[in-house]
Structures are given as structure tokens and as C-alpha cells.
């Protein structure tokens, strides 16, 4: 996630900011420009709006700003008052209950990061062009976290850090997080759009296995017996061993983790590869749009040193590894496949 600069005072601002701490200007995220905006002071009916373009089009905060759950902009003259991300909600909990409100605020922060990535990748948010549904979200109590035909369901309890830690221990998931759930479930949606609908099923099956294996039976086997003893030699996570669809979704989520972390590291000038440079030597690394330009191999060349450095930092603070994973050769090949299908869609080459 890139950081931005307040256009009023020049101080660094962040993705979730709604006001500049230094100068007091209102801040908002512009999903069209994929960047933070400093809002111009206004009064009366145009309060908290920004003049977006020379035509005079006005943008305002999403209605969910009132709930402390959003800082994105939406056009004043169209829509239902919700930004592109909040408009994807189908179900939310009763916000009159404080616990629900706090949980939903956490959910929205995580979801905004997912949607930001999907927009950066230029991925479609609606599968109607191939007869599939629109990507939508149900965030409710007593629901099963999962995906069905474009609807991502997440149980409210996933926003509770204590409950989530208990589940992490029960299911031996070293990296269970709300954002991780959303990235994983979005993978099922994009499997339909980027694999099934683009004629890449055979290529997928060669890497991930046969998706026609009975899903319910496979999950029952996994939950009853656990993953294979050698799962680390083939998958990015233990759960990826459950079924080819879960292998894809786990790999998809892992790739999104990687790209977001690398984007953030570049924004902050973190480059572990530079540790071996001799003082005064020419800087050998140029900046790339990580979402659009770098090859998969280039991403991995940056990812491995970064994770080693962050693991060491985490241990220095008395915590477990920041990145408790081993990327085996088969897992690396699968990550490369995810990289390829995303880039193919962005370039339009999947239509050729």
C-alpha cells in the first residue's frame, strides 16, 4: 500500500486517514485515481466535498463515513451515496449494537484494502459479462465464512481478535487474519472469471489438481485427517491440501499478500537487497509499478530478502516470524500462474 502526501502541507498521509493531523484538512480516498485526496475547504451544502475535475463534478464522502467505516469518495450527482467498495455490501449487522459497529469497522478497513488491490490489478468486480454474479459481501452473525457465486460471506466473529486466535490454534493456521479471509474468498470468485471462463482449466489442473473432485468429500477428509505430512513441499499452506479450489484460493491470497507487502516496502524505501552495496556505488534498483510491470521472478527476488529481514526484526521484538512460510518450488510455480492470469486479464491477452 503506497502512502501519499497532503497537498496542503506536504506531510505524509495514509490509506485510512480522514483528516491531516498536521494541517487539519479533510482527506479522502479517490478510487478513480487510486490515491488519497486533500479536500478543499467548503461551506453550506457543498461542505466536505472536493472539486474533482474541470467540468465541475463534485465528489463527497461515502455515506458510511458517518459510521466511521469509510473514507472513500463518491459522486454527488449519482448512485446511492455509497462508494464503489461499500456498494458491494449485501448484508451488514445491526449497527445500533456497539459490538457489531466495531466489528464492521474492522471488516470495512480490511475490505477496502482488498478492493484497492483489485482496482490496482484492473480486475472486474462484476462477472455478469460471463454470466456470473457481481462480487458482493455478507458480513453477519451466525454465518459460514465462504464464497458462493460471487457472494463472500464472513462471520462477524472473525473481527474478534480473541476468537480468531482461538480458531487459529484449533485449525493450526499461523496467519489467520480478516484480510486474509477476504483475499482467500475473493480467489474463488476470480477462479471463475480468470481460469474457468478463459480456457485455462487444463493448465490449472496440471498445477493444482482436478477441480472436479467432490468438494464436500475432500473437505471432510481434510478436517478428519488433516493435511498430508509433506504438504510444505507442495503448497503455500496446510489448508491448500484440502482441494484444488482451496489450493488456488490460498495461493491467490498469498500472492495478494506478497504484492501488497512489496508495494508498501517500496513506498517506505525498504530494500534489503541494498545491504550488500558498497558505499558510493551506483544504486542498481529502479522503482516499478509492482501491480503492472515487474516479472514474477523479479517479485520473488525482492520478496525473499524482505521476508528474511522482517522475520529477523520480528524476532528482535520477541515475536514469532512475520512470514512463517516456506515457498517450495511447486508453490512458486502456482504463484507464478496466479501472476500470469492476473496480468493476462489486465493486458487483454486472455481474449486472444
Amino acid at each position: 500500500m503506497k502512502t501519499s502526501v497532503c497537498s496542503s502541507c506536504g506531510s505524509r498521509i495514509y490509506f485510512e486517514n480522514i483528516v491531516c493531523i498536521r494541517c487539519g484538512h479533510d482527506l479522502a480516498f479517490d478510487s478513480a485515481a487510486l490515491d488519497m485526496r486533500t479536500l478543499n475547504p467548503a461551506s453550506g451544502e457543498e461542505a466536505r466535498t472536493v472539486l474533482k475535475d474541470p467540468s465541475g463534478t463534485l465528489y463527497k464522502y461515502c455515506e458510511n463515513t458517518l459510521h466511521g467505516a469509510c473514507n472513500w469518495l463518491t459522486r454527488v450527482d449519482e448512485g446511492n451515496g455509497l462508494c464503489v467498495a461499500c456498494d458491494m455490501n449485501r448484508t451488514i449487522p445491526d449497527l445500533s449494537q456497539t459490538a457489531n459497529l466495531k466489528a464492521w469497522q474492522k471488516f470495512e478497513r480490511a475490505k477496502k484494502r482488498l478492493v484497492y488491490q483489485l482496482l490496482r490489478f484492473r480486475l472486474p468486480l462484476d462477472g455478469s459479462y460471463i454470466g456470473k454474479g457481481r462480487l458482493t459481501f455478507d458480513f453477519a452473525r451466525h454465518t459460514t465464512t465462504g464464497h458462493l457465486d460471487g457472494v463472500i460471506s464472513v462471520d462477524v466473529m472473525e473481527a474478534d481478535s480473541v476468537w480468531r486466535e482461538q480458531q487459529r490454534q484449533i485449525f493450526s493456521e499461523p496467519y489467520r487474519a480478516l484480510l486474509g479471509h477476504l483475499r482467500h474468498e475473493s480467489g474463488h470468485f476470480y477462479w471463475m472469471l480468470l481460469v474457468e471462463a478463459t480456457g485455462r482449466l487444463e493448465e490449472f489442473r496440471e498445477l493444482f489438481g482436478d477441480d472436479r473432485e467432490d468438494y464436500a468429500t475432500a473437505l471432510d477428509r481434510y478436517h478428519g485427517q488433516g493435511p498430508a505430512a509433506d504438504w510444505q513441499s507442495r503448497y503455500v499452506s496446510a489448508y491448500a491440501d484440502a482441494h484444488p479450489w482451496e489450493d488456488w484460493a490460498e495461493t491467490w491470497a498469498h500472492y495478494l499478500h506478497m504484492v501488497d507487502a512489496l508495494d508498501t516496502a517500496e513506498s517506505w524505501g525498504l530494500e534489503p537487497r541494498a545491504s550488500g552495496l558498497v558505499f558510493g556505488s551506483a544504486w542498481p534498483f529502479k522503482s516499478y509499478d509492482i501491480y503492472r510491470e515487474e516479472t514474477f521472478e523479479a517479485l520473488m527476488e525482492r520478496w525473499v530478502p524482505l521476508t528474511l529481514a522482517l522475520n529477523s526484526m520480528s524476532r528482535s521484538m520477541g515475536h514469532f516470524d512475520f512470514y512463517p512460510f516456506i515457498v517450495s518450488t511447486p508453490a512458486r510455480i502456482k504463484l507464478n500462474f496466479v501472476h500470469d492470469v492476473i496480468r493476462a486479464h489486465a493486458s487483454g491477452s486472455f481474449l486472444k
Side-chain angles (χ1 to χ4, degrees):
M1 181 68 66
K2 293 187 179 298
T3 56
S4 302
V5 173
C6 174
S7 62
S8 173
C9 67
S11 61
R12 189 186 289 264
I13 56 178
Y14 307 95
F15 184 62
E16 289 87 2
N17 284 163
I18 200 164
V19 65
C20 178
I21 302 300
R22 182 176 179 183
C23 70
H25 270 71
D26 288 335
L27 303 172
F29 181 74
D30 181 351
S31 60
L34 291 174
D35 202 0
M36 294 293 291
R37 297 298 188 197
T38 305
L39 275 60
N40 298 322
S43 61
E45 294 182 358
E46 293 182 2
R48 305 188 74 152
T49 61
V50 59
L51 190 63
K52 173 62 166 56
D53 55 41
S55 69
T57 302
L58 286 175
Y59 286 73
K60 65 176 182 179
Y61 277 120
C62 170
E63 292 294 327
N64 285 333
T65 303
L66 299 174
H67 299 289
C70 187
N71 68 336
W72 286 31
L73 293 171
T74 186
R75 285 185 58 153
V76 170
D77 60 351
E78 68 179 24
N80 55 8
L82 298 176
C83 70
V84 62
C86 288
D87 192 43
M88 299 165 74
N89 290 336
R90 190 176 75 165
T91 305
I92 62 174
D94 179 4
L95 301 184
S96 67
Q97 298 181 22
T98 301
N100 285 344
L101 175 60
K102 290 182 177 179
W104 183 57
Q105 290 169 341
K106 293 179 182 178
F107 169 78
E108 283 299 326
R109 284 196 292 271
K111 192 189 74 179
K112 294 296 194 302
R113 285 185 171 262
L114 169 65
V115 176
Y116 169 84
Q117 283 199 282
L118 302 180
L119 294 174
R120 283 283 301 271
F121 281 128
R122 299 182 188 175
L123 292 174
L125 304 179
D126 190 336
S128 59
Y129 68 98
I130 58 168
K132 302 296 184 180
R134 177 172 172 257
L135 183 61
T136 55
F137 295 86
D138 286 346
F139 185 60
R141 290 194 178 274
H142 311 300
T143 190
T144 300
T145 298
H147 167 269
L148 181 63
D149 297 331
V151 179
I152 293 176
S153 301
V154 179
D155 193 286
V156 168
M157 292 302 296
E158 289 292 348
D160 185 297
S161 57
V162 175
W163 183 88
R164 193 171 58 250
E165 175 62 19
Q166 291 173 339
Q167 300 304 302
R168 186 184 75 82
Q169 295 290 343
I170 292 172
F171 293 106
S172 300
E173 297 174 345
Y175 223 64
R176 189 182 182 106
L178 188 54
L179 178 55
H181 277 310
L182 295 178
R183 284 173 172 161
H184 172 99
E185 300 304 339
S186 74
H188 291 300
F189 176 73
Y190 286 103
W191 182 86
M192 299 188 304
L193 274 59
L194 305 184
V195 177
E196 185 182 38
T198 59
R200 303 190 74 154
L201 271 176
E202 290 307 314
E203 187 179 358
F204 167 85
R205 288 166 181 165
E206 288 180 5
L207 296 176
F208 295 86
D210 194 340
D211 55 286
R212 292 165 294 190
E213 177 187 4
D214 186 80
Y215 183 67
T217 300
L219 287 189
D220 286 343
R221 180 180 65 248
Y222 173 81
H223 290 302
Q225 303 175 10
D230 64 343
W231 69 264
Q232 286 187 321
S233 67
R234 291 177 288 154
Y235 305 105
V236 295
S237 73
Y239 188 53
D241 189 25
H243 186 274
W245 284 339
E246 299 304 337
D247 190 6
W248 160 266
E250 286 288 274
T251 306
W252 172 275
H254 204 97
Y255 180 77
L256 266 58
H257 284 326
M258 287 172 48
V259 172
D260 192 12
L262 285 169
D263 195 39
T264 302
E266 181 170 287
S267 182
W268 281 93
L270 302 178
E271 185 54 81
R273 293 180 300 170
S275 61
L277 293 179
V278 177
F279 180 75
S281 61
W283 180 255
F285 311 122
K286 63 173 291 187
S287 295
Y288 292 90
D289 181 349
I290 290 173
Y291 283 83
R292 312 291 305 157
E293 297 174 348
E294 283 197 298
T295 65
F296 177 75
E297 288 304 316
L299 290 177
M300 290 301 297
E301 287 175 5
R302 299 178 66 178
W303 181 239
V304 174
L306 178 64
T307 58
L308 293 175
L310 291 175
N311 281 350
S312 295
M313 288 290 293
S314 186
R315 293 176 188 180
S316 295
M317 297 296 292
H319 294 285
F320 295 111
D321 284 352
F322 164 83
Y323 184 73
F325 299 98
I326 298 174
V327 181
S328 64
T329 297
R332 187 176 179 130
I333 293 172
K334 294 173 189 176
L335 286 164
N336 197 356
F337 179 75
V338 171
H339 176 89
D340 287 345
V341 297
I342 290 176
R343 296 297 176 90
H345 187 279
S347 68
S349 62
F350 73 101
L351 296 174
K352 298 177 182 178

